[in-house]
């Protein structure tokens, strides 16, 4: 484990056992003032085939410092060497590690959020579904930045109608082929959230889309599906942002911080206190 101090954060790398190989987690923890912190698992972008923990640094640092929260950025396995389900299973193992180590980090394992950009947005919401289905980890909030959600690629914007997009349909197709080599996987709810008919019970969501992004339609479509399933959902489109630029966009990150401050606040008097029943979420959605 390597440790550094930066911008008032303790930043450490740790290796854990992943689904198919060891993976690296990067921990961002604010200097302790005695406050018990919420937890956020963060997943970098890169279309499932590339990307590193360094790519997540600005978002992870901002969320950790400004929420404040213990943020764990996940260096999940990449395709094509490690196709589906390696990445979501790595995500689940990271969540288990977080639960086991939260107390030692001055954090609350009963206040966990997930966040991610691009492929990381897919992994964040799919982890929320896996945790819901397996039942041993409770995730209370999800923030998705320009997420990749639709391997069928049937809900992309017209490339001729998006100004200067920085991601193209052919790039997305190559990424999905590498990540989901078997056609049947492209309908799996842990790989294709927009194909899932079981969205009820997922945690409250913030979905941020970018105006100059071919994927903004599928992101907003997913927000609509979550709302229809009774999941409290906020959706924002950032008019001056592009797909890759959204992850460092100050207004988008400010929205993520505000969302986690609201959704992961300490409720030890009732809903999230150990041994107490979690309150049912409200069924209306904020836009």
């Amino acid at each position: 484990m390597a440790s550094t101090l930066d911008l008032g954060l303790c930043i450490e790398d740790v290796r854990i056992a992943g689904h198919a190989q060891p993976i690296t987690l990067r921990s961002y923890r604010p200097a302790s003032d005695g406050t018990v912190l919420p937890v956020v698992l963060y997943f970098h972008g890169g279309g499932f085939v590339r990307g590193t923990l360094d790519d997540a640094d600005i978002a992870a640092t901002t969320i950790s410092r400004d929420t404040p929260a213990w943020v764990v950025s996940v260096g999940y396995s990449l395709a094509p060497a490690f196709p589906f389900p390696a990445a979501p299973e790595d995500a689940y193992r990271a969540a288990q590690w977080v639960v086991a180590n939260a107390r030692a980090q001055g954090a609350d394992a009963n206040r966990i959020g997930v966040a991610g950009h691009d492929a990381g947005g897919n992994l964040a919401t799919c982890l929320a579904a896996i945790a819901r289905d397996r039942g041993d980890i409770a995730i209370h909030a999800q923030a998705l930045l320009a997420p990749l959600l639709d391997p069928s690629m049937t809900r992309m914007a017209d490339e001729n109608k998006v100004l200067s997009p920085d991601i193209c349909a052919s790039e997305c197709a190559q990424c999905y082929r590498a990540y989901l080599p078997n056609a049947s996987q492209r309908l799996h709810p842990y790989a294709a959230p927009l194909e899932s008919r079981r969205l009820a019970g997922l945690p409250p969501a913030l979905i941020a889309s970018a105006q100059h992004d071919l994927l903004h339609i599928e992101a907003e479509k997913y927000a609509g599906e979550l709302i229809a399933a009774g999941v409290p959902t906020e959706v924002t489109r950032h008019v001056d942002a592009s797909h890759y630029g959204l992850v460092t966009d100050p207004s988008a990150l400010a929205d993520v911080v505000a969302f986690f401050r609201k959704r992961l606040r300490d409720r030890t008097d009732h809903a999230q206190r150990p041994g107490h029943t979690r309150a049912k979420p409200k069924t209306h959605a904020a836009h």
Side-chain angles (χ1 to χ4, degrees), residues 76-115:
Y76 55 88
S77 299
L78 300 176
F82 299 99
F84 177 85
E89 291 293 350
D90 284 348
Y92 186 72
R93 282 162 174 74
Q96 291 177 310
W97 183 87
V98 158
V99 169
N101 289 275
R103 183 182 294 274
Q105 296 289 332
D108 184 355
N110 293 301
R111 290 189 286 145
I112 298 176
V114 294

Side-chain angles (χ1 to χ4, degrees), residues 59-258:
T61 297
T62 301
I63 295 168
S64 181
R65 182 186 64 233
D66 295 349
T67 302
W70 179 35
V71 173
V72 176
S73 182
V74 181
Y76 55 88
S77 299
L78 300 176
F82 299 99
F84 177 85
E89 291 293 350
D90 284 348
Y92 186 72
R93 282 162 174 74
Q96 291 177 310
W97 183 87
V98 158
V99 169
N101 289 275
R103 183 182 294 274
Q105 296 289 332
D108 184 355
N110 293 301
R111 290 189 286 145
I112 298 176
V114 294
H117 169 247
D118 181 84
N122 176 297
L123 294 176
T125 196
C126 290
L127 173 58
I130 293 169
R132 175 202 62 191
D133 295 345
R134 296 181 183 174
D136 58 345
I137 297 171
I139 292 176
H140 295 278
Q142 54 176 325
L144 317 180
L145 298 165
L148 281 165
L149 301 168
D150 179 23
S152 76
M153 295 177 53
T154 58
R155 297 145 173 120
M156 298 186 80
D158 185 338
E159 290 191 57
N160 296 318
K161 296 181 179 179
V162 175
L163 180 64
S164 301
D166 57 356
I167 189 172
C168 63
S170 61
E171 179 184 347
C172 291
Q174 290 174 353
C175 291
Y176 280 127
R177 281 197 298 269
Y179 179 55
L180 305 168
N182 300 321
S184 62
Q185 295 172 328
R186 298 175 191 182
L187 296 175
H188 197 293
Y190 297 164
L194 261 176
E195 302 294 346
S196 177
R197 302 277 65 86
R198 295 182 57 249
L199 299 179
L202 290 181
L206 168 68
I207 297 179
S209 68
Q211 181 78 22
H212 307 303
D213 183 8
L214 297 180
L215 304 178
H216 74 261
I217 291 177
E218 67 186 65
E220 293 161 14
K221 171 69 172 174
Y222 188 54
E225 295 289 332
L226 289 173
I227 291 167
V231 177
T233 300
E234 304 170 34
V235 56
T236 58
R237 186 189 296 182
H238 296 265
V239 297
D240 296 322
S242 66
H243 178 81
Y244 289 115
L246 191 65
V247 70
T248 57
D249 183 88
S251 65
L253 292 179
D255 286 349
V256 171
V257 166

